Amino acid sequence: MSLSKTTLGPFELYTIETGDIKLDGGAMFGVVPKTLWSRGIPADEKNRIPMTMRCLLIKSNNTGKIYLVDNGAGTKFNEKMENIYQLDYSDKNIHKSLKTHGFSEEDISDIIFTHLHFDHCGGTTYYDEQGHIQFTFPNATYHVTKTHWKSATDPNAREKASFINDNIEPLSGSEVLHFVDGEHEYEPGLSTILANGHTIGQQLPKIEADGKTLIFVADLLPTHVHVPLPWVMGYDMYPVQTLTEKDAFLKQAAEKDWKLYLEHDVKHEVITITYDGRKFKVKDFLKLSDL
Ligand SMILES: [Zn+2]
């Protein structure tokens, strides 16, 4: 397991690896032919590609808050589902990641959900020995956009399989659930950008300090292989909207030298972007510790 950390102004940032997962390569690259995408990430015999679920812990020395952005797929899967997704926690897991950095589940004061697809919020709850659902982070407040909560709790047939009841239902009506309206400032230096193409109300945390900007790009840009503009996931609800959002986002990323923190890329943690007026490309591959 490769864990990294850095400090930007008042924020201490830590990589939190929560596990690996495999997803269908075709679904991950939409209209892009396999002959092209498989050069970037080769598929296995079932056409799945290796992905990871890399979260980010943000400790604010201004407010004392300890934020965790997303929390992986969790452990509530039966054997059949574990096989389908090849979920692997043997090397990477959330408890080990927190502990290695000197944190515990109890320390987390705030969970920021980019969105509630199961590979982003499954770590919220677990089954205890009696099979009852328990919260993993007993002291946390959970933040999600109001528009996303609405679509996650009343999903269309195409998105339904991405939402799992035991991840979401325990939060419903609870006082630890906090809705944010659109783009939101959690505290000075920590705000969000909205991207609605992948799913309605996805929020991307943005950390600005020390003259640098780090953005948790979640499913706007799942891996470095997704940098070319039309390489948009088949999983996206509104792929044409993703195109528009991605174009505007990557132009700013190139211009302002934003550091993009990748949630699903097995190999690369942080990238920067170049734009020659026609195409976007990866400029540098970095780790948090290189910032
Ligand atoms: Zn997603």
Side-chain angles (χ1 to χ4, degrees):
M1 181 166 64
S2 142
L3 294 176
S4 185
K5 61 180 175 181
T6 194
T7 301
L8 286 189
F11 302 110
E12 295 173 28
L13 308 176
Y14 300 87
T15 305
I16 300 292
E17 297 284 4
T18 72
D20 287 336
I21 184 169
K22 284 186 174 181
L23 291 174
D24 184 81
M28 281 304 296
F29 288 99
V31 297
V32 180
K34 185 178 180 183
T35 45
L36 295 181
W37 61 251
S38 61
R39 287 183 212 159
I41 309 184
D44 71 5
E45 70 291 351
K46 290 182 174 163
N47 210 45
R48 297 171 302 192
I49 58 166
M51 314 249 294
T52 198
M53 296 169 289
R54 178 183 298 113
C55 302
L56 179 68
L57 186 146
I58 305 164
K59 181 181 176 193
S60 167
N61 289 313
N62 274 344
T63 59
K65 288 190 172 186
I66 301 180
Y67 303 87
L68 181 62
V69 181
D70 287 350
N71 56 34
T75 54
K76 302 188 296 299
F77 293 91
N78 59 31
E79 219 179 304
K80 185 182 161 203
M81 294 298 276
E82 275 187 358
N83 276 327
I84 289 174
Y85 294 111
Q86 288 285 292
L87 287 157
D88 183 358
Y89 311 106
S90 54
D91 176 37
K92 305 168 181 174
N93 73 66
I94 198 162
H95 181 72
K96 211 165 107 183
S97 292
L98 288 167
K99 205 172 161 194
T100 305
H101 287 309
F103 296 101
S104 70
E105 284 78 353
E106 288 75 19
D107 292 334
I108 306 299
S109 63
D110 296 82
I111 301 264
I112 300 176
F113 290 127
T114 59
H115 62 298
L116 297 168
H117 288 165
F118 72 82
D119 51 328
H120 297 256
C121 72
T124 300
T125 54
Y126 66 95
Y127 298 134
D128 66 15
E129 279 164 20
Q130 285 75 45
H132 298 133
I133 295 179
Q134 303 290 348
F135 279 107
T136 310
F137 308 96
N139 302 313
T141 299
Y142 297 79
H143 307 273
V144 63
T145 67
K146 199 182 282 175
T147 51
H148 185 68
W149 180 265
K150 199 162 167 270
S151 61
T153 51
D154 183 21
N156 65 54
R158 190 162 172 270
E159 193 170 13
K160 206 174 172 137
S162 295
F163 297 115
I164 296 176
N165 208 34
D166 281 356
N167 295 338
I168 297 171
E169 176 58 29
L171 289 168
S172 183
S174 131
E175 55 187 25
V176 294
L177 179 63
H178 175 244
F179 293 127
V180 295
D181 272 319
E183 297 188 339
H184 182 72
E185 184 178 69
Y186 286 86
E187 61 176 87
L190 174 59
S191 58
T192 56
I193 294 174
L194 273 201
N196 293 293
H198 175 65
T199 183
I200 291 174
Q202 180 182 212
Q203 54 176 345
L204 313 179
K206 180 181 188 186
I207 298 131
E208 294 170 284
D210 275 356
K212 292 173 188 160
T213 302
L214 178 81
I215 301 182
F216 188 99
V217 288
D219 283 348
L220 177 63
L221 200 73
T223 74
H224 76 282
V225 183
H226 288 86
V227 167
L229 198 55
W231 293 45
V232 169
M233 286 193 277
Y235 287 119
D236 282 17
M237 288 302 114
Y238 312 98
V240 176
Q241 190 169 351
T242 296
L243 270 185
T244 311
E245 291 169 347
K246 196 174 157 187
D247 187 40
F249 178 85
L250 288 177
K251 276 178 182 152
Q252 285 197 76
E255 194 186 311
K256 298 175 181 168
D257 196 35
W258 285 351
K259 322 292 180 201
L260 310 184
Y261 187 88
L262 303 173
E263 187 164 13
H264 290 309
D265 197 302
V266 173
K267 284 191 185 155
H268 301 291
E269 194 167 283
V270 176
I271 55 170
T272 54
I273 301 293
T274 57
Y275 181 54
D276 62 7
R278 218 168 51 89
K279 281 186 175 171
F280 298 104
K281 284 185 186 155
V282 175
K283 186 164 96 186
D284 289 310
F285 293 104
L286 306 167
K287 291 196 143 294
L288 274 188
S289 49
D290 299 322
L291 303 188

